[in-house]
Amino acid sequence: MAYRPDEDLSFLEAVDSKDLDDLVYCLTHDRDGIARITEELTTASEYKEHYPDHKKYWELIAAEIQCFGANTLATMLRGGKGVLYKEVLMDICDKMKVNYNKNSSVEIIESNLLMKILSDAIEKMKPDELKELAISAGIKNTNNITPQAMIGAFQAIFRAGGFTSYKLTVIVVNAVLKALIGRGLSFAGGAALTRTMAILTGPIGWTITGLWTAIDIASPAYRVTIPAVIQVAALRQKQLYAGEPETLAFS
């Protein structure tokens, strides 16, 4: 396992070790908390020496994502190096039928992925759940609120970026991870509106579980790459926007 210089993962160097806990756990353990047989991270000397100070071996963490997202034989031919993160991300988006532009930045493509999950969940919500979600999101007129209206509102938040987009990202990612690996983000509590998170956890859980079942038959590697990419998206948003003042919706 060797790290390929990757501009879309290099930000991990600046992430606090504590915030990397969830990503490292996902790469090294399955949903039942059992150590993954195929992972290589915990066998590395840097991991053994510095764990749990993940920042000191962030390149190994990034390399693990790259290798899980690559074909095993191709990785061997590349001297143990996997594929760049954007390729891993786009592969997942293809499997999950996400509409995206391959020329867009990874931040935008990650938002497209999260919006696909969120949209599918909203489509499954009952009218009373939809109204409660609208209220928690700060929408004034909730009479006859439709799934399309809620999807449009959240799309606008993602497009605007900033702290509110970060909060929405954390809400979605937290619900997805609870469904996929049985635990949410360790830093979700202070960043997201608890009420909104509670409303969305069920519908997103049902949605992602169905997608997971459909995708899982293709390759067991998706059990690692899907939650890993989802967590990278949250970490990226936190690194970019967590320090911004809270001025928009969800306030």
Side-chain angles (χ1 to χ4, degrees):
M1 178 180 69
Y3 173 64
R4 294 184 65 183
D6 192 336
E7 63 180 4
D8 296 317
L9 288 178
S10 59
F11 80 96
L12 293 176
E13 182 179 13
V15 176
D16 291 339
S17 289
K18 186 176 181 180
D19 287 343
L20 289 170
D21 275 340
D22 299 320
L23 180 56
V24 170
Y25 180 86
C26 164
L27 293 171
T28 57
H29 294 77
D30 66 17
R31 195 183 192 286
D32 299 320
I34 300 172
R36 297 189 187 279
I37 299 175
T38 54
E39 63 88 15
E40 297 182 46
L41 182 59
T42 60
T43 65
S45 58
E46 294 95 329
Y47 175 94
K48 294 177 180 178
E49 181 179 357
H50 298 296
Y51 178 89
D53 191 359
H54 310 303
K55 283 190 69 169
K56 292 185 176 178
Y57 50 87
W58 73 269
E59 289 184 342
L60 292 179
I61 297 170
E64 192 84 337
I65 297 171
Q66 293 173 336
C67 289
F68 267 116
N71 176 277
T72 303
L73 178 58
T75 299
M76 292 174 61
L77 295 175
R78 283 191 296 262
K81 294 183 179 181
V83 297
L84 295 178
Y85 173 78
K86 189 171 185 179
E87 185 175 333
V88 181
L89 172 62
M90 292 192 298
D91 179 52
I92 289 173
C93 287
D94 290 340
K95 291 294 183 184
M96 298 179 70
K97 304 186 186 309
V98 176
N99 184 21
Y100 70 95
N101 184 335
K102 66 179 182 180
N103 296 316
S104 297
S105 68
V106 295
E107 182 187 351
I108 291 176
I109 297 175
E110 286 169 344
S111 293
N112 292 154
L113 171 60
L114 297 178
M115 194 63 226
K116 163 67 174 175
I117 296 169
L118 181 57
S119 298
D120 288 350
I122 289 173
E123 292 283 0
K124 293 179 172 63
M125 295 181 77
K126 298 175 182 177
D128 58 331
E129 293 174 325
L130 204 60
K131 183 174 182 179
E132 189 175 358
L133 175 61
I135 293 172
S136 71
I139 294 176
K140 303 300 182 182
N141 184 7
T142 60
N143 293 327
N144 302 315
I145 191 75
T146 65
Q148 292 70 31
M150 285 303 306
I151 291 170
F154 286 135
Q155 284 176 331
I157 290 173
F158 273 130
R159 283 196 298 268
F163 187 77
T164 306
S165 174
Y166 161 62
K167 290 180 71 176
L168 182 57
T169 295
V170 171
I171 289 170
V172 176
V173 170
N174 190 68
V176 169
L177 293 180
K178 282 187 175 180
L180 293 185
I181 63 173
R183 54 185 269 181
L185 287 169
S186 59
F187 58 82
L193 188 64
T194 304
R195 183 180 180 186
T196 308
M197 188 178 291
I199 296 168
L200 282 170
T201 295
I204 287 180
W206 306 328
T207 298
I208 198 67
T209 300
L211 289 170
W212 178 276
T213 302
I215 293 171
D216 189 46
I217 59 174
S219 170
Y222 287 113
R223 285 188 172 273
V224 182
T225 55
I226 293 176
V229 162
I230 294 291
Q231 289 184 76
V232 168
L235 290 170
R236 190 187 315 280
Q237 289 288 308
K238 183 175 185 183
Q239 200 66 20
L240 288 170
Y241 303 119
E244 292 189 4
E246 185 175 355
T247 57
L248 302 175
F250 293 96
S251 57

